[in-house]
Amino acid sequence: MKVIGVNASPRGKDSNTLRLVNAVLAGAKDEGADTEFIDLYTLRIEYCTACGTCYATGECTLLDDFSDLFDRIMNADGIVLGAPNYIDAVPAPMKALFDRMADAIHCQMLTGKFGCSVCTAGGSGESEVVGYMNKVLATLGANIAGGIGVAIGRDPNALGKAETEAHTLGKTLARSIRGELTYPEQDEMHRQKREYFCQLVKYNKDRFAHEYEWYTQMGWMK
């Protein structure tokens, strides 16, 4: 059982969001998971150019750290996303990562995986950012085990409580991976989404050759 944490904070070891990501990973580790932490600000993720090459070949024309990071995500059973609130959204490196995953969205490549998100904010908006990151994970095919958001500016002591909740979330994530917790409503949503993207890929199979092959190999093409 492998759980990976991706933190998008420019503050390095002084990041408050880092504390939440590490708490989730610690909870998962207590349940037997092998964990890995990635500081997104130490990587170079270029902006998507919308060239469409990934749809056709499964490869990206940009030479940076994205491919290695994506391989590490694909090799994980659970994904933890962490970001501070930047104007009710994620910082640019996290958004750049999301934008590079269009092929993975079409192919629903995180199907069978589980995810959660954490966010710290000064005054507000933490819930919106957690919701956005979890929606991205769900759009990629993952089931969502939960999320933690905390506004530290309103209560500096709130971070400690949030760390305790994040540790519990990590345990929940690991139990979900083991199959102890199930998400039938999310499973049905993913089934419908796969059917939608299957039709999209089928109608564009000349341009989306890689994706058509993916759906065929997965046994999802109808």
Side-chain angles (χ1 to χ4, degrees):
M1 178 168 52
K2 177 67 177 289
V3 175
I4 189 171
V6 182
N7 189 36
S9 169
R11 300 186 64 211
K13 62 181 179 59
D14 295 323
S15 165
N16 289 318
T17 310
L18 169 65
R19 290 173 58 176
L20 295 188
V21 173
N22 279 340
V24 176
L25 293 179
K29 189 172 184 178
D30 285 349
E31 289 290 325
D34 178 22
T35 63
E36 178 183 5
F37 173 79
I38 294 173
D39 182 347
L40 198 55
Y41 270 82
T42 66
L43 304 181
R44 183 170 65 90
I45 307 294
E46 300 289 348
Y47 298 138
C48 176
T49 62
C51 69
T53 301
C54 60
Y55 301 153
T57 70
E59 302 293 335
C60 183
T61 61
L62 300 176
L63 300 179
D64 57 11
D65 294 319
F66 171 76
S67 293
D68 177 67
L69 174 56
F70 184 69
D71 286 345
R72 291 154 83 178
I73 290 173
M74 287 297 292
N75 286 329
D77 303 295
I79 300 98
V80 183
L81 298 181
N85 174 12
Y86 275 28
I87 316 180
D88 294 330
V90 295
M94 183 71 87
K95 185 60 168 67
L97 172 63
F98 293 163
D99 290 349
R100 293 283 292 279
M101 300 175 83
D103 177 52
I105 290 173
H106 283 187
C107 291
Q108 294 292 279
M109 289 187 178
L110 297 195
T111 296
K113 300 183 187 298
F114 295 84
C116 63
S117 299
V118 296
C119 173
T120 58
S124 63
E126 67 280 3
S127 296
E128 288 83 350
V129 178
V130 167
Y132 170 62
M133 290 190 289
N134 276 345
K135 184 176 181 180
V136 171
L137 289 171
T139 300
L140 286 158
N143 275 349
I144 306 305
I148 303 292
V150 58
I152 302 169
R154 296 195 298 266
D155 180 6
N157 297 319
L159 184 59
K161 178 182 177 182
E163 283 184 281
T164 300
E165 295 172 350
H167 189 273
T168 300
L169 176 58
K171 289 177 173 288
T172 299
L173 181 63
R175 291 182 61 205
S176 299
I177 294 169
R178 283 204 302 263
E180 297 174 11
L181 301 174
T182 59
Y183 303 86
E185 291 184 1
Q186 292 190 52
D187 290 337
E188 174 59 20
M189 177 194 70
H190 292 313
R191 184 192 66 79
Q192 294 179 17
K193 191 169 297 182
R194 281 195 302 273
E195 289 185 358
Y196 165 78
F197 281 117
C198 179
Q199 295 303 311
L200 176 70
V201 169
K202 183 186 293 185
Y203 293 145
N204 293 276
K205 65 178 181 180
D206 291 337
R207 292 190 300 126
F208 297 174
H210 153 71
E211 296 180 347
Y212 187 83
E213 181 180 359
W214 172 276
Y215 270 82
T216 301
Q217 290 178 346
M218 295 295 291
W220 296 343
M221 184 56 65
K222 298 179 181 181

